[in-house]
Amino acid sequence: MTAAIEARGLVKRYGEITAVDHVDLTVRSGDVYGYLGPNGAGKTTSLRMLLGLIRPDEGSARLFGHDPLVEGARALDGVAGFVEAPRFYPYMSARKNLEFVAALDGGDAAERIDEALDTVDLTKRQHDKVRGYSHGMKQRLGIAGALLRDPKLLLLDEPTTGLDPAGMRDMRALVHRLAEDGLTVLLSSHLMSEVEDLCDRVAIVTRGRVVYEGALDELIATTAGRYDLRTTNDAEAAMIARRAHGIAGVTVSNAGIAFEGDEVAVAHLTLELAQAGIGLRALVPRTATLEELFFRMTEGTPEQNGSQPLVPA
Ligand SMILES: Nc1ncnc2c1ncn2[C@@H]1O[C@H](COP(=O)(O)OP(=O)(O)OP(=O)(O)O)[C@@H](O)[C@H]1O
């Protein structure tokens, strides 16, 4: 089956900076694919190349087997999305804006306006001027605009960045709905938790390079076995943990105890603690943050990598 996106060896340079450095990506039909990396990793530049908005210096990208550089706009049939923030006329209502977009798109786009407004949950506010919209509503309207093209593939550049918690929740719910409707989605993000919530496959990018590509659950599995523990007596519990079979890397801080171990060893440890009269306040499997994963993959310190800090959600 033809991949929704197949990018091979994409390179984009700006002077001394290699914004995108030999990126290979394969997004299959039906994937909700996370393109995950810190600020400046090259996410927006990659999406621009995929959408045919800028020309790569090297490499090529095919969308459903068609190369936008060779075939022009025809290659973008069934593909929609926006990079950075969508743009609308603030003095017009959401509906008028969509009518304007539909007129440009042509075909039967205008007939999809009601459904698109409904999908993004803006039906009730469709006659309000976009000027009064929150950032989240504008982002959702951007998706409504994309849906007018009846896409099979949607590319979204950091769709939740800058949104408040309710805006993020609504946007994520919308992406879930679109995925359930069978749309293939590529979304960029700097939030591990967001990608975990929405995506089944992921590429982690840093400084223009892909350092991991694959199934998200396989990536998460590599981080399994780390726990945070709080007890009624952390000092003694840490001593017991250090002696316990199958438990390693025990550290104690004000936040409690952290250690590594498999599920069997952890079960034994809880029994030993109980026998010592120590109660459990919390035992939480720790999911690695993007930052931890990222540094583990690049095997360096933040300073050595010269990267900006990431934002674990
Ligand atoms: N038009 C341009 N001219 C010069 N440099 C650029 C241009 N576009 C991007 N860059 C540089 O390329 C690198 C990658 O930028 P890009 O915007 O693709 O990253 P990003 O991962 O999307 O980051 P962010 O999350 O901050 O948007 C950055 O160093 C950026 O400064």
Side-chain angles (χ1 to χ4, degrees):
M1 195 180 177
T2 315
I5 299 177
E6 193 155 29
R8 291 291 170 263
L10 279 184
V11 174
K12 185 72 191 175
R13 299 186 191 91
Y14 291 109
E16 299 282 285
I17 295 170
T18 304
V20 176
D21 192 357
H22 295 93
V23 161
D24 294 339
L25 283 182
T26 307
V27 179
R28 299 177 298 219
S29 279
D31 278 352
V32 180
Y33 193 100
Y35 199 49
L36 181 66
N39 291 338
K43 303 183 295 294
T44 304
T45 307
S46 300
L47 262 62
R48 280 188 202 283
M49 286 191 279
L50 294 176
L51 284 166
L53 298 172
I54 55 171
R55 180 174 277 273
D57 292 317
E58 291 174 35
S60 65
R62 286 175 200 285
L63 306 171
F64 297 109
H66 300 286
D67 184 339
L69 287 179
V70 178
E71 300 177 47
R74 215 156 36 94
L76 294 175
D77 236 13
V79 181
F82 53 86
V83 288
E84 289 162 353
R87 293 192 177 86
F88 291 103
Y89 293 107
Y91 53 85
M92 288 184 350
S93 71
R95 186 170 193 97
K96 280 267 177 274
N97 268 288
L98 291 183
E99 283 169 2
F100 192 71
V101 172
L104 290 176
D105 277 349
D108 51 3
E111 290 162 27
R112 281 190 281 271
I113 292 177
D114 286 328
E115 192 187 346
L117 282 165
D118 188 44
T119 303
V120 303
D121 212 9
L122 285 174
T123 302
K124 285 193 191 131
R125 303 289 303 270
Q126 61 177 303
H127 299 298
D128 295 354
K129 289 195 169 50
V130 169
R131 187 171 30 220
Y133 271 29
S134 69
H135 181 41
M137 290 164 74
K138 285 182 196 157
Q139 292 289 90
R140 299 210 308 276
L141 183 58
I143 292 184
L147 293 178
L148 297 183
R149 308 189 62 187
D150 195 20
K152 289 182 288 177
L153 169 66
L154 193 59
L155 286 87
L156 301 174
D157 188 24
E158 304 243 12
T160 66
T161 294
L163 300 188
D164 63 16
M168 278 192 179
R169 181 200 57 208
D170 294 346
M171 177 58 78
R172 290 177 188 173
L174 171 57
V175 172
H176 272 301
R177 283 203 298 279
L178 296 172
E180 274 164 21
D181 287 348
L183 213 65
T184 304
V185 180
L186 169 72
L187 69 92
S188 74
S189 178
H190 61 276
L191 298 174
M192 179 71 191
S193 60
E194 175 162 293
V195 167
E196 252 185 289
D197 177 24
L198 296 175
C199 302
D200 37 34
R201 284 168 34 85
V202 65
I204 296 189
V205 282
T206 171
R207 304 173 90 195
R209 280 178 296 121
V210 174
V211 290
Y212 175 87
E213 192 197 14
L216 187 63
D217 50 7
E218 284 170 26
L219 177 65
I220 303 291
T222 66
T223 73
R226 292 154 65 85
Y227 291 84
D228 289 324
L229 171 68
R230 279 191 298 116
T231 68
T232 51
N233 185 344
D234 281 354
E236 201 181 328
M239 282 196 315
I240 293 172
R242 285 197 176 99
R243 289 198 303 264
H245 185 69
I247 301 289
V250 179
T251 59
V252 193
S253 70
N254 289 341
I257 303 166
F259 63 86
E260 291 165 18
D262 64 24
E263 284 181 3
V264 176
V266 173
H268 279 298
L269 175 62
T270 58
L271 292 177
E272 280 185 56
L273 293 174
Q275 275 164 10
I278 298 172
L280 296 190
R281 288 205 163 107
L283 177 62
V284 186
R286 194 201 284 186
T287 313
T289 62
L290 170 58
E291 187 163 28
E292 287 167 333
L293 286 173
F294 167 71
F295 289 126
R296 218 177 290 165
M297 274 168 201
T298 52
E299 291 178 335
T301 63
E303 292 73 27
Q304 283 164 349
N305 279 288
S307 301
Q308 299 174 32
L310 302 172
V311 186

